[in-house]
Amino acid sequence: MKTSNKFTLLRVILAPVIFFVYSFPVIFKFPKDSIVSIVSIVVSLLLLIFAELTDYFDGYYARKHKEVSDFGKLFDPFADVLLHLSMFTIFVFNGYMPVILYVLIFYREFAQNFLRMVAAKSGTAIAARKGGKIKTVFYVAGCFVALIQEFLVRTSLGAKFNLPMDIFKYIGWAIFGVCTLLAWISFIDYLKNFGSVLKQVANDKGQD
């Protein structure tokens, strides 16, 4: 496997690992301020930082070693979506992300995945466009804002320093709102640029 794809694979592997590490205290009913809960959130933060860094390194090595391929163009966004939807699922249950925004993003990502599959059938690999990359940046920002809120709760630092946690929550909601808006704007951009591929495959006489 190419070096760039190995970094992408790490992101795929880390998605369920972070999900479990973050959720471990909840699953086994440890108190929010227990040492297990605190270690859980700290490790989750560190793992997410590492996971997001792999996104930089897979692109870096793909360019450095000239490993850019159709497979990589599909694998990289898949890894991003798997990681971020895993995190968003956690945040919905914790109240850091409104469920309606999660559902809208969920629908968008599956629609985008369908578009990529259809394009791949016609021999076209849809790489991430500028709008999709900007959307991903806000996905990352939303994840860290939510994780930091949970860190402040589990370590009791929010209460200790009398921090405005409700305001932080609404800031997080606003970021996820921007994520949703950018996600759909970028999807419309993909449709505008690759919609002809979708029509071509849909009108193929060999289709069922």
Side-chain angles (χ1 to χ4, degrees), residues 111-132:
Q112 178 69 18
N113 185 56
F114 175 74
L115 178 60
R116 290 185 192 278
M117 288 191 300
V118 171
K121 178 177 173 60
S122 67
T124 302
I126 300 179
R129 291 175 59 80
K130 185 176 180 179

Side-chain angles (χ1 to χ4, degrees), residues 52 135-147 175-176 179:
E52 298 298 354
K135 175 263 303 181
T136 300
V137 169
F138 275 85
Y139 277 16
V140 174
C143 286
F144 280 109
V145 168
L147 278 180
I175 293 174
F176 284 126
C179 287

